[in-house]
């Protein structure tokens, strides 16, 4: 992605059908090529009218008090992040070292997964659920509305799941719970651990 105006989005880092059957090809095409692209297009359009903001980076724009800038900047950032933490079903396993960190913060991996699922299911309307690293190095589950990102209050996301209906409706319809539970099959744990250690 372009880190400055005019913003672009990253190409999907794998084929549109690679996450099947957990996320279907058509959903990925619409989600990346239409929804994600639209956030970048809309952000650029608003910035054309706000020349004083054109020098700001994406993370700064995500904190903007102009709703259109904040929401679209978040949409660009969050989706690039989201694509990067997924991979083909059942090809990535949590390492022993990551498991130790998860257990230190959540008692058990099951407890972590259940808290994350509840965060995604409890988000009313559109938003995200995240695993974040706090400034003192602790792991927490947080849920944000719309395209808000925990970075804006100083917490570093290491895993995130889009629970907007556009992310799952074609395949799962109203059953967000099935989508959230199926997500575990496509988590890229290598990427999660990399974010945890290097960001
Ligand atoms: Mn989305």
């Amino acid at each position: 992605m372009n880190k400055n105006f005019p913003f672009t989005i990253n190409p999907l880092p794998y084929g549109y059908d690679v996450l099947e059957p957990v996320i279907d090809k058509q959903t990925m095409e619409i989600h990346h090529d239409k929804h994600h692209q639209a956030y970048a297009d809309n952000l650029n359009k608003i910035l054309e009218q706000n020349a004083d903001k054109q020098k700001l980076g994406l993370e700064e724009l995500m904190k903007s008090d102009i709703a259109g800038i904040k929401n679209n900047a978040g949409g660009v950032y969050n989706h690039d992040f989201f694509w990067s933490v997924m991979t083909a079903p059942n090809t990535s396993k949590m390492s022993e070292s990551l498991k130790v960190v998860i257990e230190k913060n959540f008692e058990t991996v099951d407890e972590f997964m259940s808290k994350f699922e509840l965060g995604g299911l409890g988000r009313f309307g559109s938003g995200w659920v995240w695993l974040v690293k706090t400034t003192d190095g602790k792991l927490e589950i947080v849920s944000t509305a719309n395209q808000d990102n925990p970075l804006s209050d100083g917490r570093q996301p290491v895993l995130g799941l889009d629970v907007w209906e556009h992310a799952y409706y074609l395949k799962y319809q109203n059953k967000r719970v099935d989508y959230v539970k199926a997500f575990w099959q496509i988590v890229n744990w290598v990427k999660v651990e990399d974010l945890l250690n290097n960001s």
Side-chain angles (χ1 to χ4, degrees):
M1 80 179 113
N2 236 352
K3 296 278 185 200
N4 291 98
F5 174 80
F7 290 93
T8 58
I9 62 171
N10 285 336
L12 202 63
Y14 32 71
Y16 291 95
D17 59 352
V18 160
L19 305 179
E20 287 202 351
V22 176
I23 303 181
D24 58 287
K25 182 178 179 212
Q26 192 187 6
T27 294
M28 290 305 289
E29 286 171 346
I30 297 170
H31 202 173
H32 179 273
D33 296 0
K34 306 292 182 195
H35 289 279
H36 192 187
Q37 184 63 50
Y39 291 118
D41 294 344
N42 291 332
L43 177 61
N44 290 332
K45 243 178 262 168
I46 300 170
L47 290 174
E48 279 165 24
Q49 311 299 321
N50 289 270
D52 58 315
K53 306 279 193 299
Q54 289 176 4
K55 291 269 185 288
L56 297 177
L58 207 47
E59 291 182 28
E60 278 307 309
L61 294 169
M62 287 158 67
K63 298 182 202 168
S64 175
D65 47 16
I66 300 172
I69 292 182
K70 173 181 146 153
N71 292 333
N72 286 297
V76 172
Y77 187 97
N78 290 347
H79 289 88
D80 274 322
F81 180 90
F82 185 41
W83 315 137
S84 82
V85 294
M86 296 189 288
T87 189
N90 308 310
T91 56
S92 182
K93 267 183 74 174
M94 191 185 286
S95 71
E96 278 308 309
S97 50
L98 180 56
K99 193 165 168 250
V100 167
V101 178
I102 297 269
E103 286 172 348
K104 202 174 129 199
N105 285 274
F106 298 98
E107 303 287 334
T108 65
V109 172
D110 281 351
E111 185 63 22
F112 151 69
M113 287 167 71
S114 124
K115 277 200 169 131
F116 187 92
E117 289 170 7
L118 282 174
L121 297 174
R123 166 51 48 198
F124 185 79
S126 299
W128 293 74
V129 57
W130 310 90
L131 174 65
V132 301
K133 186 171 73 168
T134 65
T135 45
D136 54 0
K138 291 207 177 73
L139 293 182
E140 287 176 358
I141 306 293
V142 295
S143 156
T144 57
N146 304 315
Q147 296 297 351
D148 292 353
N149 186 296
L151 267 181
S152 297
D153 59 23
R155 294 177 288 184
Q156 170 65 48
V158 299
L159 178 65
L161 175 62
D162 186 344
V163 295
W164 285 57
E165 279 189 348
H166 68 226
Y168 63 87
Y169 204 82
L170 283 182
K171 182 178 166 78
Y172 296 91
Q173 290 86 46
N174 58 315
K175 296 184 283 288
R176 188 191 285 186
V177 59
D178 293 352
Y179 162 71
V180 169
K181 285 182 181 291
F183 175 62
W184 299 116
Q185 296 174 51
I186 52 171
V187 172
N188 183 342
W189 293 110
V190 174
K191 178 69 182 178
V192 171
E193 190 164 17
D194 177 53
L195 285 163
L196 180 65
N197 294 329
N198 301 310
S199 57

Coordinates of all heavy atoms in Angstrom, one line a residue, residues 79-136:
H79 N -8.1 -3.6 6.4 CA -8.2 -4.7 5.4 C -6.8 -5.1 5.0 O -6.6 -6.4 4.9 CB -9.1 -4.3 4.3 CG -10.6 -4.2 4.7 ND1 -11.1 -3.0 5.2 CD2 -11.5 -5.1 4.7 CE1 -12.4 -3.3 5.5 NE2 -12.7 -4.5 5.2
D80 N -5.9 -4.2 4.8 CA -4.5 -4.7 4.5 C -4.0 -5.6 5.6 O -3.4 -6.6 5.4 CB -3.6 -3.5 4.3 CG -3.6 -3.0 2.8 OD1 -3.7 -3.8 1.9 OD2 -3.5 -1.8 2.7
F81 N -4.3 -5.2 6.8 CA -3.9 -6.0 8.0 C -4.6 -7.4 8.0 O -4.0 -8.4 8.2 CB -4.3 -5.2 9.3 CG -3.9 -6.0 10.5 CD1 -2.7 -5.8 11.1 CD2 -4.8 -6.8 11.2 CE1 -2.3 -6.5 12.3 CE2 -4.5 -7.5 12.3 CZ -3.2 -7.4 12.9
F82 N -5.9 -7.3 7.7 CA -6.8 -8.5 7.8 C -6.2 -9.6 6.8 O -6.1 -10.7 7.1 CB -8.2 -8.1 7.5 CG -9.2 -9.2 7.6 CD1 -9.2 -10.1 8.6 CD2 -10.3 -9.3 6.6 CE1 -10.2 -11.1 8.7 CE2 -11.2 -10.3 6.7 CZ -11.2 -11.2 7.8
W83 N -6.0 -9.1 5.5 CA -5.5 -10.1 4.5 C -4.2 -10.8 5.0 O -4.0 -11.9 4.7 CB -5.3 -9.5 3.1 CG -6.3 -8.5 2.6 CD1 -6.1 -7.3 2.0 CD2 -7.8 -8.7 2.6 NE1 -7.3 -6.7 1.7 CE2 -8.3 -7.6 2.0 CE3 -8.6 -9.7 3.1 CZ2 -9.7 -7.4 1.9 CZ3 -10.0 -9.5 3.0 CH2 -10.5 -8.4 2.4
S84 N -3.4 -10.0 5.7 CA -2.1 -10.5 6.0 C -2.1 -11.5 7.2 O -1.1 -12.2 7.3 CB -1.2 -9.3 6.4 OG -1.4 -8.9 7.8
V85 N -3.1 -11.5 7.9 CA -3.2 -12.5 9.1 C -4.0 -13.8 8.7 O -4.3 -14.5 9.6 CB -3.7 -11.9 10.4 CG1 -2.7 -10.8 10.9 CG2 -5.1 -11.3 10.2
M86 N -4.2 -14.0 7.4 CA -4.9 -15.2 7.0 C -4.1 -16.0 6.0 O -3.2 -15.4 5.3 CB -6.3 -14.8 6.4 CG -7.3 -14.2 7.4 SD -9.0 -14.0 6.8 CE -8.8 -12.7 5.6
T87 N -4.4 -17.3 5.9 CA -3.7 -18.1 5.0 C -4.6 -19.3 4.7 O -5.7 -19.5 5.3 CB -2.3 -18.6 5.6 OG1 -1.6 -19.2 4.6 CG2 -2.5 -19.5 6.8
A88 N -4.2 -20.2 3.7 CA -5.0 -21.3 3.3 C -5.4 -22.2 4.5 O -4.6 -22.3 5.5 CB -4.2 -22.2 2.3
P89 N -6.6 -22.7 4.5 CA -7.1 -23.5 5.7 C -6.2 -24.6 6.2 O -5.6 -25.3 5.3 CB -8.4 -24.1 5.2 CG -8.8 -23.2 4.0 CD -7.6 -22.7 3.4
N90 N -6.0 -24.6 7.5 CA -5.3 -25.7 8.1 C -3.8 -25.9 7.6 O -3.3 -27.0 7.5 CB -6.0 -27.0 8.0 CG -7.5 -26.8 8.5 OD1 -7.7 -26.3 9.6 ND2 -8.4 -27.2 7.6
T91 N -3.2 -24.8 7.3 CA -1.8 -24.8 6.9 C -0.9 -24.2 7.9 O 0.3 -24.2 7.8 CB -1.6 -24.1 5.5 OG1 -2.0 -22.8 5.6 CG2 -2.3 -24.8 4.4
S92 N -1.4 -23.5 8.9 CA -0.6 -22.8 9.9 C -1.0 -23.3 11.3 O -2.1 -23.4 11.6 CB -0.9 -21.3 9.7 OG -0.1 -20.6 10.6
K93 N 0.1 -23.5 12.1 CA -0.2 -24.0 13.4 C 0.4 -23.0 14.4 O 1.5 -22.4 14.1 CB 0.4 -25.4 13.7 CG -0.6 -26.5 13.4 CD 0.1 -27.8 13.7 CE 0.2 -28.1 15.2 NZ 0.7 -29.4 15.5
M94 N -0.2 -22.8 15.6 CA 0.4 -22.0 16.6 C 1.7 -22.7 17.1 O 1.6 -23.8 17.5 CB -0.7 -21.9 17.7 CG -0.3 -20.9 18.8 SD -1.6 -20.9 20.1 CE -3.0 -20.1 19.4
S95 N 2.7 -21.9 17.2 CA 4.0 -22.5 17.7 C 3.9 -22.7 19.2 O 3.1 -22.1 19.8 CB 5.2 -21.6 17.3 OG 5.1 -20.4 18.1
E96 N 4.8 -23.5 19.7 CA 4.9 -23.7 21.2 C 5.1 -22.4 21.9 O 4.6 -22.1 22.9 CB 6.0 -24.7 21.5 CG 5.5 -26.1 21.4 CD 4.2 -26.5 22.1 OE1 4.1 -26.2 23.3 OE2 3.3 -27.1 21.4
S97 N 6.0 -21.5 21.3 CA 6.4 -20.3 22.0 C 5.2 -19.3 22.0 O 4.9 -18.6 23.0 CB 7.6 -19.6 21.3 OG 7.4 -19.6 19.9
L98 N 4.4 -19.3 20.9 CA 3.2 -18.4 20.9 C 2.2 -19.0 21.9 O 1.5 -18.2 22.6 CB 2.6 -18.4 19.5 CG 1.4 -17.5 19.3 CD1 1.6 -16.1 19.8 CD2 0.9 -17.5 17.9
K99 N 2.1 -20.3 21.9 CA 1.1 -20.9 22.9 C 1.4 -20.5 24.3 O 0.5 -20.2 25.1 CB 1.2 -22.5 22.7 CG 0.1 -23.2 23.4 CD 0.1 -24.7 22.8 CE -0.9 -25.5 23.7 NZ -0.1 -26.5 24.5
V100 N 2.7 -20.5 24.6 CA 3.1 -20.1 26.0 C 2.7 -18.7 26.3 O 2.1 -18.4 27.4 CB 4.6 -20.3 26.1 CG1 5.1 -19.6 27.4 CG2 5.1 -21.7 26.1
V101 N 2.8 -17.8 25.4 CA 2.4 -16.4 25.6 C 0.9 -16.3 25.7 O 0.4 -15.6 26.6 CB 2.9 -15.5 24.4 CG1 2.5 -14.1 24.6 CG2 4.4 -15.6 24.3
I102 N 0.2 -17.0 24.9 CA -1.3 -17.0 24.9 C -1.7 -17.5 26.3 O -2.6 -16.9 27.0 CB -1.9 -17.9 23.8 CG1 -1.5 -17.3 22.4 CG2 -3.4 -18.0 24.0 CD1 -2.4 -16.3 21.8
E103 N -1.1 -18.6 26.7 CA -1.5 -19.2 28.0 C -1.2 -18.3 29.2 O -1.9 -18.3 30.2 CB -0.9 -20.6 28.2 CG -1.5 -21.6 27.3 CD -0.8 -22.9 27.3 OE1 0.4 -23.0 27.8 OE2 -1.4 -23.9 26.7
K104 N -0.1 -17.6 29.1 CA 0.3 -16.7 30.1 C -0.8 -15.5 30.3 O -1.1 -15.1 31.4 CB 1.6 -16.0 29.8 CG 2.4 -15.5 31.0 CD 3.8 -15.0 30.5 CE 4.0 -13.6 31.0 NZ 5.1 -12.9 30.3
N105 N -1.4 -15.2 29.2 CA -2.4 -14.1 29.2 C -3.8 -14.5 29.4 O -4.6 -13.7 29.8 CB -2.2 -13.2 27.9 CG -1.0 -12.4 27.9 OD1 -1.0 -11.3 28.4 ND2 0.1 -12.9 27.4
F106 N -4.1 -15.7 29.0 CA -5.5 -16.1 28.9 C -5.8 -17.5 29.7 O -6.8 -18.0 29.5 CB -6.1 -16.3 27.5 CG -6.0 -15.0 26.7 CD1 -5.0 -14.7 25.9 CD2 -7.0 -14.0 26.9 CE1 -4.9 -13.5 25.2 CE2 -7.0 -12.8 26.1 CZ -5.9 -12.6 25.3
E107 N -4.8 -18.0 30.4 CA -4.9 -19.3 31.1 C -4.7 -20.4 30.1 O -3.8 -21.2 30.2 CB -6.2 -19.4 31.9 CG -6.4 -18.3 32.9 CD -5.4 -18.5 34.1 OE1 -5.0 -19.6 34.4 OE2 -5.2 -17.4 34.8
T108 N -5.7 -20.5 29.1 CA -5.6 -21.6 28.1 C -5.9 -21.0 26.7 O -6.5 -19.9 26.6 CB -6.7 -22.7 28.4 OG1 -8.0 -22.1 28.2 CG2 -6.6 -23.2 29.8
V109 N -5.5 -21.8 25.7 CA -5.8 -21.4 24.3 C -7.3 -21.4 24.1 O -7.8 -20.5 23.4 CB -5.0 -22.3 23.3 CG1 -5.5 -22.1 21.9 CG2 -3.5 -22.2 23.4
D110 N -8.0 -22.3 24.6 CA -9.4 -22.4 24.5 C -10.1 -21.1 25.1 O -11.0 -20.6 24.5 CB -10.0 -23.6 25.2 CG -9.8 -24.9 24.4 OD1 -9.4 -24.8 23.2 OD2 -10.1 -26.0 24.9
E111 N -9.6 -20.7 26.2 CA -10.1 -19.5 26.8 C -9.9 -18.3 25.9 O -10.8 -17.4 25.8 CB -9.5 -19.3 28.2 CG -10.0 -18.2 29.0 CD -11.5 -18.3 29.4 OE1 -12.0 -19.5 29.4 OE2 -12.1 -17.3 29.7
F112 N -8.7 -18.2 25.4 CA -8.4 -17.1 24.4 C -9.4 -17.1 23.3 O -9.9 -16.1 22.9 CB -6.9 -17.2 24.0 CG -6.7 -16.7 22.6 CD1 -6.8 -15.3 22.3 CD2 -6.4 -17.5 21.5 CE1 -6.6 -14.8 21.1 CE2 -6.2 -17.0 20.2 CZ -6.3 -15.7 20.0
M113 N -9.5 -18.3 22.7 CA -10.4 -18.4 21.5 C -11.8 -18.1 21.8 O -12.5 -17.4 21.1 CB -10.3 -19.8 20.9 CG -9.0 -20.1 20.2 SD -8.6 -21.8 19.8 CE -9.8 -22.1 18.5
S114 N -12.3 -18.5 23.0 CA -13.6 -18.2 23.3 C -13.9 -16.7 23.6 O -14.9 -16.1 23.2 CB -14.1 -19.2 24.5 OG -14.5 -18.5 25.6
K115 N -12.9 -16.1 24.2 CA -13.0 -14.6 24.4 C -13.0 -13.8 23.1 O -13.7 -12.9 23.0 CB -11.8 -14.1 25.3 CG -12.0 -14.3 26.8 CD -11.1 -13.4 27.6 CE -11.5 -13.4 29.0 NZ -10.3 -13.6 29.9
F116 N -12.1 -14.3 22.2 CA -12.1 -13.6 20.9 C -13.4 -13.8 20.1 O -13.9 -12.9 19.6 CB -10.9 -14.3 20.1 CG -10.6 -13.6 18.8 CD1 -9.6 -12.6 18.7 CD2 -11.2 -14.0 17.6 CE1 -9.3 -12.0 17.5 CE2 -10.9 -13.4 16.4 CZ -10.0 -12.4 16.3
E117 N -13.9 -15.0 20.2 CA -15.2 -15.3 19.5 C -16.3 -14.4 20.2 O -17.1 -13.8 19.4 CB -15.6 -16.8 19.7 CG -14.7 -17.7 18.8 CD -14.9 -19.2 19.1 OE1 -15.8 -19.5 19.9 OE2 -14.2 -20.0 18.6
L118 N -16.3 -14.3 21.5 CA -17.3 -13.5 22.1 C -17.2 -12.0 21.7 O -18.2 -11.3 21.6 CB -17.2 -13.6 23.7 CG -17.8 -14.9 24.2 CD1 -17.5 -15.0 25.7 CD2 -19.3 -15.0 24.0
G119 N -16.0 -11.6 21.6 CA -15.7 -10.2 21.1 C -16.3 -9.9 19.8 O -16.9 -8.9 19.5
G120 N -16.2 -10.9 18.9 CA -16.7 -10.8 17.5 C -18.2 -10.9 17.5 O -18.9 -10.2 16.8
L121 N -18.8 -11.8 18.3 CA -20.2 -12.0 18.4 C -20.9 -10.8 19.1 O -22.1 -10.5 18.8 CB -20.6 -13.3 19.0 CG -20.0 -14.5 18.3 CD1 -20.3 -15.8 19.0 CD2 -20.7 -14.6 16.9
G122 N -20.2 -10.2 20.1 CA -20.8 -9.2 20.9 C -20.8 -7.8 20.2 O -21.5 -6.9 20.7
R123 N -20.0 -7.7 19.2 CA -20.0 -6.4 18.5 C -21.3 -6.2 17.8 O -21.6 -6.8 16.8 CB -18.8 -6.4 17.5 CG -18.7 -5.3 16.4 CD -18.8 -3.9 16.9 NE -18.0 -3.6 18.1 CZ -18.2 -2.5 18.9 NH1 -19.2 -1.7 18.6 NH2 -17.4 -2.3 19.9
F124 N -22.1 -5.2 18.3 CA -23.4 -4.9 17.7 C -23.2 -4.1 16.4 O -22.5 -3.1 16.4 CB -24.2 -4.1 18.7 CG -25.6 -3.9 18.2 CD1 -26.6 -4.9 18.2 CD2 -26.0 -2.7 17.6 CE1 -27.9 -4.7 17.8 CE2 -27.3 -2.5 17.1 CZ -28.2 -3.5 17.2
G125 N -23.8 -4.6 15.3 CA -23.6 -3.9 14.0 C -22.3 -4.2 13.4 O -21.8 -5.3 13.5
S126 N -21.6 -3.2 12.9 CA -20.4 -3.4 12.1 C -19.1 -3.1 12.9 O -19.1 -2.2 13.7 CB -20.4 -2.5 10.8 OG -21.5 -2.9 10.0
G127 N -18.1 -3.9 12.7 CA -16.9 -3.7 13.4 C -15.9 -4.8 13.3 O -16.0 -5.6 12.4
W128 N -15.0 -4.8 14.3 CA -13.9 -5.8 14.3 C -13.7 -6.3 15.7 O -14.0 -5.7 16.7 CB -12.6 -5.1 13.9 CG -12.6 -4.6 12.4 CD1 -13.3 -3.6 11.9 CD2 -11.9 -5.2 11.3 NE1 -13.1 -3.4 10.6 CE2 -12.2 -4.4 10.2 CE3 -11.0 -6.3 11.2 CZ2 -11.7 -4.7 8.9 CZ3 -10.5 -6.5 10.0 CH2 -10.8 -5.8 8.8
V129 N -13.1 -7.5 15.8 CA -12.5 -8.0 17.0 C -11.0 -8.2 16.8 O -10.6 -8.6 15.7 CB -13.2 -9.3 17.5 CG1 -13.2 -10.4 16.5 CG2 -12.7 -9.8 18.9
W130 N -10.3 -7.9 17.9 CA -8.8 -7.9 17.8 C -8.2 -8.6 18.9 O -8.7 -8.5 20.1 CB -8.3 -6.4 17.8 CG -8.9 -5.5 16.9 CD1 -10.0 -4.7 17.1 CD2 -8.5 -5.2 15.5 NE1 -10.3 -3.9 16.0 CE2 -9.4 -4.2 15.0 CE3 -7.5 -5.6 14.7 CZ2 -9.3 -3.7 13.7 CZ3 -7.4 -5.1 13.4 CH2 -8.3 -4.1 12.9
L131 N -7.0 -9.2 18.7 CA -6.1 -9.5 19.7 C -5.0 -8.4 19.7 O -4.4 -8.2 18.6 CB -5.4 -10.9 19.5 CG -4.3 -11.3 20.4 CD1 -4.8 -11.5 21.9 CD2 -3.6 -12.6 20.0
V132 N -4.8 -7.7 20.8 CA -3.9 -6.6 20.8 C -2.8 -6.8 21.8 O -3.0 -7.5 22.8 CB -4.6 -5.3 21.1 CG1 -5.7 -5.0 20.0 CG2 -5.2 -5.3 22.5
K133 N -1.7 -6.1 21.6 CA -0.6 -6.0 22.6 C -0.6 -4.6 23.2 O -0.6 -3.7 22.4 CB 0.7 -6.3 21.9 CG 1.9 -6.4 22.8 CD 3.2 -6.8 22.1 CE 3.7 -5.8 21.2 NZ 5.1 -6.1 20.7
T134 N -0.7 -4.6 24.5 CA -0.8 -3.3 25.2 C 0.6 -2.7 25.3 O 1.6 -3.4 25.1 CB -1.4 -3.4 26.6 OG1 -0.6 -4.2 27.4 CG2 -2.8 -4.0 26.5
T135 N 0.7 -1.5 25.7 CA 2.1 -0.8 25.9 C 2.9 -1.6 26.9 O 4.1 -1.5 26.8 CB 1.9 0.6 26.2 OG1 1.0 0.8 27.3 CG2 1.5 1.5 25.1
D136 N 2.3 -2.2 27.9 CA 3.1 -3.0 28.8 C 3.2 -4.4 28.5 O 3.6 -5.3 29.3 CB 2.6 -2.8 30.3 CG 1.1 -3.1 30.4 OD1 0.5 -3.5 29.4 OD2 0.6 -3.0 31.6

